[in-house]
Amino acid sequence: MATFELIEKHGGHEEVVYCHDPSVGLKAIIAIHNTNLGPALGGTRMWNYKTEDEALVDVLRLSKGMTYKASAAGLNLGGGKAVIIGDPKKDKSEGLFRAFGQFVNSLNGRYITAEDVGTSVTDMEHIFMETPWVTGIPKDFGGSGDPSPYTAHGVLMGLKASVKFKLGADDLKGVRVAVQGLGNVGTHLVKYLVQEGADVIVADIDAEKVKRHVELYKVKTSTVENIVFEECDVWAPCALGAGVNDQSITKLKCKVIAGGANNVLAEHKHGDQLKELGILYAPDFVINAGGLMNVFVELEGYSPDRAFEKTRRVYDNCWKVFEIAKRDNVGTHIAANRLAEERIKTIGNLRQRHPGRSSRNFTTLREMNNR
Ligand code: NAD
């Protein structure tokens, strides 16, 4: 398919920028999906794409996802993403990321980048040498560091909202939660859940991690095969995506699905099926937005306390999704999109009429860079 046809097919992007600098081997694409709510923020992914079209489709899809995530999170941010075509193990260099940083800079803050699959804090540091429009820089540069504790805290808030909505419980005391995956997000979530008095059961493919969590928190254990099918109030997927699929869906014994993993539903239809089954699903991009909230605070001038406070809003955001699902008699996966679209329309229109305070956003990084 021709490039413009591909762009049109993946819908409604404001701008797609091809970045090419043969002197450093740079081939990248930046996609700005929508800036109605604010500058387009989204990470830079480095991946060995087989074709340029594959890279284009990925960046179009991911940037659109960021528009929805930022909007549903209630942030003054739009959606964007970048991909660098190359092998992150072999093709990285300071020159490549600085050249990419110059392209980011040429967009004057319409696109703000961050770390993603295949890129690291060091790469962000190189980009930062050329542009202030980058987040996820090291702490000593005013950055926000590891987002996982904030993601996990947001997940806890969304999980609480789900339990209140579905089970009517005001707290998590005795609520049985099956946590799948004890990585960056899962480990913090387990800590928070135990503090809240939940009855936690865990599994990970890494037996050492399971052992450590049992020692630290006295949690129960399941197996990698069974954790998804545990008899529990909440299944919290914090490993890979596509956990709800044709094979698993009829065997689920949870009442709520609320975890940090991306792309929990293998397909759209599984969201409809969860509704039929009466299982309340807290949509992934709404419940795992704590990390995005954390980098947003970095743009305002970073404060860990403010970032932590902001992640509490995930409770209200999930609640709004559940209310829309009830109002429109649709699955929560559809309701989450409606929440995002309604806000883009309402607030986007307001900003066009009178940008107000939101137009003053994000000067901090620029000032910092000029220090
Ligand atoms: P991670 O790689 O640190 O942790 C994943 C954990 O899952 C690992 O411990 C791994 O051993 C385990 N695992 C893998 N397959 C498993 C299986 N089949 N059963 C049980 N355990 C399994 O990743 P993370 O940063 O904790 O992210 C977890 C999920 O949350 C991912 O889907 C990620 O995209 C999403 N997410 C993370 C953040 C963040 O701030 N880190 C933000 C938003 C979304």
Side-chain angles (χ1 to χ4, degrees):
M1 203 181 275
T3 303
F4 279 113
E5 278 175 45
L6 269 179
I7 294 173
E8 223 167 286
K9 184 173 167 224
H10 287 86
H13 288 73
E14 288 178 15
E15 192 172 350
V16 179
V17 181
Y18 276 72
C19 317
H20 188 213
D21 188 339
S23 72
V24 289
L26 175 71
K27 277 187 185 172
I29 311 172
I30 300 171
I32 297 176
H33 176 253
N34 187 294
T35 56
N36 276 16
L37 296 175
L41 189 143
T44 296
R45 181 166 292 195
M46 186 163 184
W47 194 255
N48 220 350
Y49 294 101
K50 286 190 200 79
T51 63
E52 283 170 27
D53 279 358
E54 195 190 322
L56 176 63
V57 169
D58 209 26
V59 79
L60 292 172
R61 190 179 56 81
L62 293 166
S63 55
K64 187 171 178 183
M66 289 307 295
T67 298
Y68 280 75
K69 184 167 184 166
S71 174
L75 298 172
N76 285 332
L77 286 177
K81 201 89 182 182
V83 295
I84 296 178
I85 302 171
D87 184 339
K89 291 205 182 83
K90 290 197 300 222
D91 299 333
K92 282 189 182 183
S93 67
E94 179 184 346
L96 182 135
F97 281 98
R98 291 187 70 158
F100 177 69
Q102 290 177 350
F103 280 101
V104 173
N105 201 49
S106 72
L107 294 167
N108 273 322
R110 265 169 59 70
Y111 169 65
I112 303 171
T113 197
E115 227 180 293
D116 199 78
V117 175
T119 54
S120 67
V121 175
T122 312
D123 304 330
M124 296 307 117
E125 217 178 310
H126 288 142
I127 294 172
F128 187 56
M129 288 174 187
E130 301 294 337
T131 182
W133 305 116
V134 50
T135 58
I137 49 176
K139 279 192 173 159
D140 52 336
F141 285 87
S144 58
D146 176 15
S148 311
Y150 301 90
T151 302
H153 192 250
V155 171
L156 176 76
M157 294 296 122
L159 195 151
K160 280 182 155 184
S162 310
V163 164
K164 173 75 179 163
F165 198 89
K166 178 74 187 171
L167 310 172
D170 287 319
D171 60 45
L172 297 179
K173 287 196 186 74
V175 171
R176 192 167 163 85
V177 186
V179 180
Q180 179 191 29
L182 300 170
N184 294 318
V185 175
T187 191
H188 289 288
L189 181 63
V190 167
K191 181 183 72 190
Y192 296 141
L193 288 169
V194 169
Q195 282 166 1
E196 297 275 337
D199 177 15
V200 180
I201 176 159
V202 302
D204 196 291
I205 47 173
D206 183 338
E208 263 310 305
K209 286 185 183 169
V210 174
K211 190 164 162 258
R212 201 167 63 238
H213 283 76
V214 170
E215 283 165 11
L216 273 173
Y217 304 116
K218 313 275 176 286
V219 289
K220 301 186 183 88
T221 63
S222 177
T223 59
V224 168
E225 293 72 31
N226 284 337
I227 188 78
V228 180
F229 310 117
E230 285 292 338
E231 192 99 42
C232 61
D233 297 302
V234 184
W235 165 41
C238 296
L240 306 173
V244 181
N245 52 47
D246 284 344
Q247 286 72 43
S248 68
I249 194 157
T250 52
K251 291 189 252 161
L252 297 174
K253 295 196 200 82
C254 56
K255 301 177 182 103
V256 165
I257 300 175
N262 275 316
N263 307 316
V264 170
L265 307 178
E267 292 173 61
H268 185 85
K269 68 172 184 188
H270 296 122
D272 303 330
Q273 282 174 260
L274 287 177
K275 176 179 180 290
E276 297 304 312
L277 290 166
I279 297 174
L280 183 68
Y281 166 56
D284 45 14
F285 70 83
V286 181
I287 194 170
N288 72 21
L292 181 64
M293 292 172 172
N294 186 50
V295 292
F296 178 83
V297 173
E298 189 176 319
L299 292 169
E300 298 176 326
Y302 191 61
S303 143
D305 291 345
R306 218 147 28 81
F308 206 72
E309 220 25 62
K310 225 181 225 329
T311 60
R312 289 187 193 282
R313 297 186 193 171
V314 176
Y315 187 105
D316 294 336
N317 297 341
C318 285
W319 195 268
K320 281 184 211 157
V321 169
F322 303 151
E323 291 286 5
I324 292 172
K326 204 160 97 181
R327 177 193 78 189
D328 297 352
N329 192 24
V330 293
T332 53
H333 59 313
I334 296 171
N337 288 344
R338 289 191 186 169
L339 172 70
E341 284 160 4
E342 283 170 15
R343 183 164 176 263
I344 291 166
K345 201 162 154 230
T346 316
I347 308 301
N349 283 346
L350 280 178
R351 284 184 87 240
Q352 270 170 12
R353 214 171 58 209
H354 176 53
R357 268 175 62 81
S358 54
S359 66
R360 291 199 294 117
N361 273 343
F362 316 134
T363 48
T364 323
L365 265 175
R366 197 181 276 161
E367 282 161 10
M368 218 161 62
N369 203 30
N370 291 337
R371 241 187 345 221

